[in-house]
Amino acid sequence: MVLLAAEGLPNAEIGRQVGMTRQTVIAWRARYETGGIDALADLPRSGRPPVIDESAVISS
């Protein structure tokens, strides 16, 4: 989204290309403008952290 915005595409067109709403594009662009590339990382979530069976993922 950020790269498409840098190319000058409007929010609605970016949303169509990436399969998100215009409002979501606006939110992500604002997040990037506020905190740079680090702001695009996943935010911590509440609840129990997921348990990943690494051996099952590797063998898949």
Side-chain angles (χ1 to χ4, degrees):
M1 284 187 263
V2 174
L3 295 177
L4 293 172
E7 291 179 8
L9 277 99
N11 293 330
E13 178 59 27
I14 294 170
R16 277 192 286 280
Q17 286 190 24
V18 300
M20 295 189 175
T21 66
R22 180 179 158 275
Q23 292 80 8
T24 300
V25 173
I26 291 169
W28 279 96
R29 287 184 66 181
R31 207 167 143 179
Y32 176 75
E33 287 176 22
T34 301
I37 196 75
D38 291 335
L40 300 180
D42 283 339
L43 297 174
R45 298 173 187 256
S46 63
R48 181 178 173 198
V51 177
I52 300 172
D53 182 358
E54 292 179 17
S55 61
V57 171
I58 293 171
S59 66
S60 297

